[in-house]
Amino acid sequence: MEYLLLGLLILSPMTGYQLQQFIKNNLALICSHSAGSVQTALAKLEKEGKITARETAEGKRRKKLFAVTDAGRETFSAWAAQPMQADRVKNMELSRLFFAGLTGPAERLDAIRDYIRQMEQTRGILCRIRARFQQMNPGELPPGIDWPQVLRFQGYTIEYGIAAAGFEINWYTQLLHELEKQP
């Protein structure tokens, strides 16, 4: 969560609520957008000197606007430069499939149908996010960041998610058809 917040704050200073809403609307499939997890991570980053918080007033409401420090940028850059680790990608739901033979045929089929439904919802969410990204105009974003490059790699992440969801939908649909023919 900390690296995600650092990356978002490099893009633009934000309040805790803005960070939470951005995660909810764009990254909820990657991590939690709960206020508790966002606030806990922000407190840790602030304590470590990786972000600063500045009080702002909007009408009668007081807000904290968070911004990344040079130490935060260095931490984020060091993390982002590390190779991605294939062994860190886990799909715990595969353990349910692994033990599906211990459940009844009806339960297995219902679980697989429900998983296909969930993956179709996930793909739909990602397609909506992709549509929002495609409507963005980098020229309207704050200067100082190579927005076309940032948006390019964010787009790759969305495309990966859509392709992965499509793969799972197809694979589990084939499995479902096989099990429906021969439980």
Side-chain angles (χ1 to χ4, degrees):
M1 172 64 78
E2 289 89 7
Y3 297 113
L4 181 100
L5 294 178
L6 286 173
L8 291 174
L9 292 173
I10 287 171
L11 297 177
S12 175
M14 291 187 227
T15 65
Y17 179 76
Q18 289 171 323
L19 287 162
Q20 182 184 354
Q21 290 304 303
F22 186 91
I23 294 167
K24 177 182 176 185
N25 294 329
N26 299 291
L27 303 170
L29 300 173
I30 296 174
C31 67
S32 170
H33 64 277
S34 75
S37 53
V38 171
Q39 292 303 324
T40 300
L42 287 171
K44 179 181 177 196
L45 290 168
E46 188 175 11
K47 183 179 177 183
E48 293 173 349
K50 295 177 182 169
I51 63 171
T52 59
R54 180 174 52 90
E55 290 265 339
T56 63
E58 192 173 291
K60 293 183 180 182
R61 301 189 85 187
R62 310 238 355 119
K63 297 179 179 184
K64 278 187 174 182
L65 185 67
F66 296 94
V68 70
T69 64
D70 288 341
R73 284 181 193 277
E74 288 174 21
T75 298
F76 178 82
S77 292
W79 170 78
Q82 294 175 8
M84 296 189 312
Q85 299 174 11
D87 65 339
R88 305 264 332 247
V89 178
K90 306 283 187 236
N91 183 342
M92 289 305 296
E93 291 306 305
L94 284 176
S95 62
R96 293 180 197 266
L97 180 62
F98 185 81
F99 291 111
L102 299 174
T103 65
E107 290 84 8
R108 285 191 289 263
L109 295 176
D110 288 345
I112 292 169
R113 284 185 193 105
D114 191 54
Y115 189 69
I116 292 168
R117 181 192 56 75
Q118 291 176 54
M119 291 310 299
E120 287 170 341
Q121 287 178 329
T122 296
R123 183 173 56 184
I125 291 167
L126 289 168
C127 286
R128 288 189 293 279
I129 292 170
R130 176 176 60 190
R132 283 199 314 266
F133 266 70
Q134 289 171 340
Q135 294 171 355
M136 290 178 72
N137 179 359
E140 297 172 357
L141 297 169
I145 293 177
D146 185 357
W147 288 106
Q149 279 296 78
V150 170
L151 296 172
R152 175 181 171 201
F153 283 91
Q154 290 175 355
Y156 290 152
T157 306
I158 293 166
E159 292 303 325
Y160 173 87
I162 292 169
F167 170 81
E168 290 206 31
I169 291 165
N170 291 336
W171 194 90
Y172 278 96
T173 298
Q174 289 176 358
L175 175 63
L176 180 64
H177 291 146
E178 179 183 321
L179 294 176
E180 286 172 334
K181 290 178 188 171
Q182 184 183 13

